[in-house]
Amino acid sequence: MNEIRDRVEEICRAGAAARREMAAASGQVRSQALVLMAKALRDGSAQILEENGIDLAAAQESGLSEAMCDRLRLTGERIESMAQALLHVAGLEDPIGSGSVTTRPNGLVIRRVRVPLGLVAMIYEARPNVTVDAAALCVRTGNAAVLRGGREAIHSNTVLTSLLQDALTKAGLPRTGVQLIPFTERESATALMEMRGYVDVLIPRGGKGLIRSVVEQARVPVIETGAGNCHVYVDEYADIEMALRIVENAKMQRPSVCNAAETLLCHSAVAETFLPAFRARTRGRLTLRGCERTRAILPDIESATELDYETEYNDYILAVRIVDSPEEAMAHIARYGTGHSEAIVTRSLEHAAAFQAGVDAAAVYVNASTRFTDGGEFGFGAEIGISTQKLHARGPMGLAALTTEKYLIEGNGQIR
């Protein structure tokens, strides 16, 4: 354990030193680094796929679910998407140095400017694309990054980090601007959580257990990215065909991600029409678990328990509950939701406005799938996570979320 902790501290010390060089680099240099990173991924795609294949084989042998294997799996198309995300972030407006200027009555000129956070650490699970997203956003904003991925993706993350570091070097930036913790033992995560004096902020990204562990144990500042127990509420005034498309997409387009729907709430006035149609549309592809009122309409589905409404499945399973009003739907969301993404399908402007005002979540949708809660879909380029807390950042965390403020004051001899 001491060996692991010592190595983690060594990595963080190097990252803390690199953050000064990263912050001093011009926006043009940081942008060019991302262009070189994109080229490195494209040129190294065969190597990436080979290492990812090792991770996938081990994951499948260990019995990891297909939905979770999908999170882990890289393809030529996904590598190209990561390269495109890098290029997109490279072209975004640089937030560093932006701000405002105020001149006080005594002549003091006060400038408020955006600056990097410093050394950003991440602990995340089996999604190798997070390695690239995190590196992209940190480099573009002049931060250094220390990344600790899950054991399922260790080979993928190692080769990706090496390629990204090569690109940093070519751009004239320190190789230690992006580093990967080479251990997957729990002790390495614990050590990273305790790196006060080196780590400026720690961002966990993964399931509820991982996030809770980091929030409760960390001795460094944490930005909480929440698990996604997301809901779609089909209102009595819903367009049924639209609702069918939205619920199917929110649940099934990619069930392993945090913005996938986990519970369907259906108004009793449309339940006898909507639920059989949805069941027919998804039969054989989706397991439904419903309340007793739902099972009176769909007697062949499983019975939902209290635990089902609390669960982020990340799988082809959907909990269902019939409600009698938007207020009842919102009460259910308030009790079981995680503050991530919630949706209503309705043609009622009144119900839509009440839902958006009354639901406390980072993203609240009207007549659209929850699957859009994503940095790329919001126009931020890549994202470093979806924040469900209310301080500093909330929702998809793009470039601005990795900066803080600094005040620069200029005078000509003023004293107080």
Side-chain angles (χ1 to χ4, degrees), residues 328-405:
E328 189 178 346
M330 288 188 282
H332 179 102
I333 291 169
R335 178 173 179 179
Y336 298 103
T338 53
H340 194 294
S341 301
E342 310 294 352
I344 182 175
V345 184
T346 186
R347 289 174 290 192
S348 166
L349 294 178
E350 180 183 352
H351 285 191
F355 189 86
Q356 287 197 305
V359 170
D360 186 10
V364 185
Y365 293 83
V366 174
N367 296 331
S369 170
T370 57
R371 285 285 289 114
F372 288 101
T373 307
D374 174 88
E377 296 296 333
F378 277 27
F380 302 158
E383 72 179 37
I384 204 161
I386 309 291
S387 171
T388 56
Q389 65 182 30
K390 299 181 182 181
L391 297 178
H392 177 69
R394 196 180 194 192
M397 296 171 58
L399 297 178
L402 291 180
T403 66
T404 186
E405 294 179 343

Side-chain angles (χ1 to χ4, degrees), residues 186-206:
R186 184 181 299 273
E187 290 83 359
S188 64
T190 301
L192 188 56
M193 295 180 210
E194 297 175 350
M195 287 294 125
R196 289 182 64 86
Y198 299 121
V199 172
D200 292 288
V201 65
L202 173 60
I203 304 172
R205 183 167 174 178

Side-chain angles (χ1 to χ4, degrees), residues 2 9 51 53 84 227 233 235 376:
N2 288 336
E9 183 172 358
E51 296 300 311
Q84 289 291 339
Y233 165 53
D235 187 44

Side-chain angles (χ1 to χ4, degrees), residues 15-33:
R19 68 188 169 190
R20 291 186 285 274
E21 289 186 64
M22 300 295 289
S26 69
Q28 183 177 1
V29 168
R30 290 182 271 110
S31 180
Q32 181 60 23

Side-chain angles (χ1 to χ4, degrees), residues 100-113 407-415:
S100 60
V101 181
T102 302
T103 301
R104 300 295 298 151
N106 63 1
L108 281 179
V109 178
I110 301 175
R111 289 193 294 139
R112 183 175 68 179
V113 298
Y407 287 88
L408 305 177
I409 303 96
E410 298 173 9
N412 56 2
Q414 289 91 336
I415 62 172

Side-chain angles (χ1 to χ4, degrees), residues 65-247:
S65 72
E66 178 51 39
M68 296 304 290
C69 283
D70 180 61
R71 282 191 172 198
L72 174 61
R73 182 177 291 108
L74 292 177
T75 63
E77 183 179 359
R78 289 184 178 181
I79 293 171
E80 177 59 26
S81 293
M82 291 191 293
Q84 289 291 339
L86 283 163
L87 295 175
H88 181 69
V89 174
L92 293 175
E93 183 177 354
D94 185 5
I96 301 302
S98 64
S100 60
V101 181
T102 302
T103 301
R104 300 295 298 151
N106 63 1
L108 281 179
V109 178
I110 301 175
R111 289 193 294 139
R112 183 175 68 179
V113 298
R114 303 218 67 83
V115 295
L117 288 171
L119 179 58
V120 178
M122 279 200 71
I123 297 176
Y124 52 103
E125 295 175 337
R127 294 183 66 179
N129 64 296
V130 174
T131 301
V132 177
D133 289 350
L137 292 171
C138 287
V139 171
R140 188 71 179 97
T141 49
N143 292 291
V146 170
L147 311 174
R148 195 276 190 185
R151 61 180 174 82
E152 297 88 354
I154 185 62
H155 292 88
S156 306
N157 289 337
T158 299
V159 67
L160 287 169
T161 303
S162 178
L163 291 169
L164 297 176
Q165 289 176 324
D166 290 345
L168 277 180
T169 302
K170 289 179 181 178
L173 292 171
R175 189 177 185 86
T176 49
V178 175
Q179 298 178 89
L180 180 72
I181 301 292
F183 308 107
T184 59
E185 293 88 347
R186 184 181 299 273
E187 290 83 359
S188 64
T190 301
L192 188 56
M193 295 180 210
E194 297 175 350
M195 287 294 125
R196 289 182 64 86
Y198 299 121
V199 172
D200 292 288
V201 65
L202 173 60
I203 304 172
R205 183 167 174 178
K208 185 188 301 183
L210 168 66
I211 294 164
R212 184 189 298 117
S213 175
V214 172
V215 170
E216 292 177 352
Q217 296 182 42
R219 296 179 58 203
V220 299
V222 174
I223 297 179
E224 184 174 353
T225 61
N229 190 9
C230 307
H231 303 73
V232 179
Y233 165 53
V234 178
D235 187 44
E236 62 180 311
Y237 299 113
D239 178 309
I240 296 300
E241 282 302 315
M242 178 191 291
L244 288 169
R245 294 194 305 273
I246 287 174
V247 178

